[in-house]
Amino acid sequence: MLHIAICEDEPYMASKLEQLLTAYLDQRALEAQIQCYPHGEALWAARTTVDLLLMDIKLPGQEGTEVVAGLRSLGLDCPVVFITAYPQYVFQAFDLDAVHYLLKPVEADRLFPALDKAFQRLLQAGCPALWLPQGAGGHKLLCKDILYGEALGHQVTIHTLEGIYPYPGTLDALQAALPAHFFRCHKSYLVNLHAVTGKEAGVAHVVGGGKVLVARRRQRALGEKLLESCQGGDRI
């Protein structure tokens, strides 16, 4: 599922943007989670995946352009729509590869075309996915939403923030089907390096509070892979 962040310090404006976004998603038959943040520091602290960012500029603490510049330096390449009352930052915004720059007040007739442009960029970028058969149909699961895979007995399950899905194959087969940032940390666990929030002896913590086991002989390799992931700019 896509994750949309709104960074806006005025409660009324944040609520209005959330309502407009909800109406847009309903109209376009799209699914997404929307989260509001009152300033850039809150967005930093959340350390969550962001697929689309609606960003104010005049915020408590860092200005919106500074927040986006910092996120860009760490590899955030999601579409950004700046929404502000100040026209003088437009060139800074487009230097940060903004999709659009909207002046307040914002209504559907100007926001929706900007969102169309943002979602078109998301579609063009593409996102690896798994197709999981279910009954007579199936379920498309975005790889970025997978936290980890787990093998218990002869059953392999995929864990996400939204739920758990059975995988019709072995953990080896699952690893082969996933991008390179999935790491086999234990004979029974395969973890998404982008979802790891911390580690200790024998355990890695993932987004949402989950834990996976880390084999003793894999602990050093996991640390090295996490460092490579951060230095390579793959995470927020």
Side-chain angles (χ1 to χ4, degrees), residues 72-113:
R72 288 283 194 238
S73 72
L74 293 179
L76 178 71
D77 60 356
C78 79
V80 177
V81 177
F82 282 97
I83 301 174
T84 178
Y86 301 88
Q88 63 266 34
Y89 296 93
V90 62
F91 295 110
Q92 293 182 40
F94 286 110
D95 282 343
L96 295 168
D97 195 30
V99 169
H100 221 299
Y101 191 93
L102 300 176
L103 293 177
K104 297 176 181 177
V106 174
E107 301 296 341
D109 62 338
R110 289 196 298 128
L111 180 61
F112 283 19

Side-chain angles (χ1 to χ4, degrees), residues 18-83:
E18 186 172 7
Q19 291 173 7
L20 287 171
L21 262 174
T22 301
Y24 173 86
L25 294 169
D26 289 343
Q27 188 179 107
R28 301 293 195 270
L30 296 169
E31 290 188 6
Q33 290 183 341
I34 304 171
Q35 183 65 49
C36 296
Y37 301 93
H39 45 70
E41 287 75 7
L43 178 60
W44 278 101
R47 295 190 64 80
T48 188
T49 301
V50 178
D51 298 299
L52 171 61
L53 176 59
L54 305 188
M55 173 63 75
D56 191 11
I57 289 183
K58 288 295 184 179
L59 295 165
Q62 286 186 312
E63 291 188 342
T65 51
E66 295 173 329
V67 174
V68 173
L71 294 174
R72 288 283 194 238
S73 72
L74 293 179
L76 178 71
D77 60 356
C78 79
V80 177
V81 177
F82 282 97
I83 301 174

Side-chain angles (χ1 to χ4, degrees), residues 192-203:
N192 182 351
L193 294 173
H194 297 179
V196 175
T197 59
K199 70 182 186 70
E200 54 189 274
V203 172

Side-chain angles (χ1 to χ4, degrees), residues 155-204:
Q155 179 70 47
V156 175
T157 54
I158 294 174
H159 294 253
T160 74
L161 287 176
E162 282 74 38
I164 299 174
Y165 301 88
Y167 180 74
T170 65
L171 203 58
D172 288 337
L174 176 59
Q175 183 174 11
L178 292 173
H181 57 80
F182 283 82
F183 178 75
R184 187 70 170 267
C185 58
H186 188 277
K187 66 178 182 179
S188 300
Y189 290 92
L190 174 69
V191 68
N192 182 351
L193 294 173
H194 297 179
V196 175
T197 59
K199 70 182 186 70
E200 54 189 274
V203 172

